[in-house]
Amino acid sequence: AGFLNQFPTPPGVAYLRAAGACAVIVHADTPMGRAILKTSEAQRLRTRSISATEYLVEVPEAPAPPPDGPALPRDGWRVVQPASAAAALDGSLDTLAELAVADAEPLERLVVDLGRPQRIAGVDVELGSRFRHYLVTYRIEGSLDGVAWSTLAEADAAVPPFESYRADPHAVVQRIRFPASEARFLRLGPFRPPPEGLAMDVGFKRWGVAELTVRGEAAGAEPAG
């Protein structure tokens, strides 16, 4: 409901696209509905009246995504922590490295040593058939020495991997992309401890990785500033 209430902002549109929706019904006899309709019209989205108080608003098509970089070879990779997460690199979608979401910092995050510094531009968190283990929130960090860390990508409310689930419910992948950066170590996990109240990540208690794929920079990509 949180994402739907954000339509037609980019998070709300991304959620509906991933879910396979092509249009939404807006009730113009409510304050929220009138606000959504006004914003939709300002953005020149296609709308049409279907009753005295209801409008159909089309979900705009997504622009073509930039090409993915290659999956990096995993020779020499190792899970640094937690020790129980070796399944993230065992080559099987049948096993899962499952991690808890702590109620306070420090959060338990997966740390992987890529063996040497590499140019990286994304991660694929493969879940197999365990859709519900996707990262509801995330922070991806990189490091050259495993001590000093830089944030590569983060989201306090990630769009669920619906599109991947619809393509193959037994090979669900949460794809996260970011500007290319040099790193030897990767650290990923929740963005924050789950808050109280009505935030979209309330109840986010566990997440997992069946297999971790790291993407390099796409050929011909412009160097990050």
Side-chain angles (χ1 to χ4, degrees):
F3 279 109
L4 295 180
N5 289 339
Q6 294 182 45
F7 182 81
T9 64
V13 170
Y15 179 91
L16 288 166
R17 283 176 182 152
C22 61
V24 298
I25 295 174
V26 178
H27 296 271
D29 57 346
T30 67
M32 179 174 289
R34 287 191 292 272
I36 291 174
L37 189 61
K38 181 178 180 180
T39 303
S40 299
E41 291 172 341
Q43 294 183 8
R44 299 184 182 277
L45 302 185
R46 293 181 179 178
T47 65
R48 65 183 177 90
S49 174
I50 56 176
S51 77
T53 60
E54 295 176 324
Y55 286 79
L56 197 68
V57 181
E58 290 190 18
V59 177
E61 293 184 3
D68 268 341
L72 299 179
R74 300 201 306 186
D75 299 344
W77 291 19
R78 66 184 181 92
V79 172
V80 177
Q81 63 183 35
S84 60
L89 298 178
D90 69 357
S92 173
L93 291 178
D94 293 330
T95 56
L96 182 76
E98 188 176 23
L99 296 91
V101 181
D103 292 328
E105 295 281 2
L107 295 178
E108 184 176 53
R109 293 187 167 99
L110 176 67
V111 180
V112 175
D113 180 359
L114 306 181
R116 59 182 176 83
Q118 303 195 58
R119 192 89 174 151
I120 61 174
V123 297
D124 292 344
V125 181
E126 299 183 54
L127 301 170
S129 60
R130 303 170 185 85
F131 173 88
R132 292 182 180 275
H133 280 75
Y134 82 93
L135 281 162
V136 175
T137 75
Y138 63 77
R139 175 173 286 153
I140 313 295
E141 298 169 291
S143 173
L144 290 170
D145 58 8
V147 177
W149 295 90
S150 298
T151 299
L152 305 178
E154 60 183 23
D156 61 1
V159 173
F162 289 136
E163 188 172 0
S164 175
Y165 178 83
R166 289 189 294 111
D168 186 346
H170 302 294
V172 179
V173 182
Q174 184 174 15
R175 298 177 174 89
I176 301 171
R177 302 294 181 260
F178 43 80
S181 181
E182 197 83 8
R184 171 175 173 169
F185 296 87
L186 270 180
R187 183 165 67 187
L188 63 152
F191 173 73
R192 63 183 176 199
E196 297 180 358
L198 298 177
M200 283 183 278
D201 50 327
V202 168
F204 176 35
K205 297 298 184 183
R206 305 196 71 79
W207 65 285
V209 184
E211 287 297 304
L212 180 68
T213 297
V214 180
R215 296 280 174 181
E217 193 169 17
E222 291 289 334

